[in-house]
Amino acid sequence: MERETPSIDDPSGYVGFVDTHTPQLLRVAFLLCADDHAAQDLVQETLLQSYRRWSRVQQADNQAAYVRRILVNVYLMGLRRKRFAETPLESRRDYPSQEGAESRLAEYDAVLRAISRLSHREQIALVMRFYEDLDDQSIATALRCRPGTVRSLVHRGLEKLRSDPTLHLQEDAPIRSE
């Protein structure tokens, strides 16, 4: 079966799509992976798969949602592979020292670590809800579940973050979506 791919002069708009959506895909990938290099690899694989399926992406009602679904699939596929391939002894980040930034970086690192302890579906639901500002139906489409399941995933994820002792959150404190 021969794949239909965009031509070099790109009449189909693939290059424009990539230019427009890559920064957003990178941010979402970083929030899921918590690692710059892994996020770049995730986006690269996502764009490669979307290039291979570009004729289908073009036919989609919402091309960004279609490619975001590819990103989620690639992320979850990578997690399944990684589960059997790697066993890190310690996940630690070394940050360059800057005046007054240590506490912000420590808080940022604590949040990333807390998010990484959530289930993968909870991570995806929270990132898409609070970072991408997507509604339940859009998240449900990406996760291939029902909107009620999305609400449950978000609720459980927020409860776990609120009860995480490393975050020092108060019970009624809202979790910011900045």
Side-chain angles (χ1 to χ4, degrees):
M1 180 179 199
E2 194 172 316
R3 290 189 175 132
E4 186 179 320
T5 57
S7 66
I8 299 298
D9 56 349
D10 192 38
S12 62
Y14 177 78
V15 172
F17 179 87
V18 170
D19 290 343
T20 303
H21 292 89
T22 297
Q24 178 185 12
L25 291 170
L26 278 169
R27 288 188 296 267
V28 171
F30 177 77
L31 290 170
L32 293 174
C33 300
D35 177 82
D36 289 327
H37 300 291
Q40 290 171 3
D41 290 345
L42 175 58
V43 170
Q44 182 176 357
E45 182 63 27
T46 299
L47 292 175
L48 176 63
Q49 288 192 22
S50 66
Y51 180 79
R52 290 178 180 156
R53 296 175 181 88
W54 187 243
S55 61
R56 282 190 251 164
V57 173
Q58 283 184 300
Q59 294 170 1
D61 292 333
N62 185 340
Q63 293 176 351
Y66 192 98
V67 173
R68 192 169 33 249
R69 178 66 206 162
I70 293 172
L71 181 117
V72 168
N73 286 342
V74 171
Y75 172 69
L76 292 173
M77 184 175 49
L79 289 174
R80 288 182 204 114
R81 286 184 190 149
K82 187 187 257 187
R83 193 176 334 164
F84 300 107
E86 295 179 12
T87 308
L89 296 177
E90 179 181 334
S91 60
R92 183 174 161 249
R93 292 181 155 218
D94 292 330
Y95 294 105
S97 178
Q98 297 177 358
E99 292 181 33
E102 290 86 8
S103 64
R104 287 191 312 264
L105 289 173
E107 180 182 337
Y108 178 75
D109 189 52
V111 170
L112 283 178
R113 288 175 192 248
I115 290 173
S116 71
R117 288 189 290 272
L118 299 175
S119 77
H120 302 299
R121 289 171 53 94
E122 290 169 344
Q123 289 176 18
I124 293 167
L126 287 174
V127 167
M128 289 186 167
R129 166 65 50 78
F130 294 106
Y131 184 77
E132 288 289 303
D133 199 27
L134 295 177
D135 61 8
D136 292 339
Q137 185 59 50
S138 299
I139 299 168
T141 300
L143 287 172
R144 293 185 182 155
C145 65
R146 296 176 186 233
T149 304
V150 170
R151 289 189 290 275
S152 295
L153 289 168
V154 169
H155 177 76
R156 283 193 310 254
L158 287 175
E159 287 302 313
K160 288 178 184 177
L161 291 177
R162 285 186 181 112
S163 65
D164 191 312
T166 63
L167 292 181
H168 307 293
L169 294 176
Q170 297 176 5
E171 192 65 30
D172 296 332
I175 295 182
R176 295 180 290 178
S177 59
E178 292 180 42

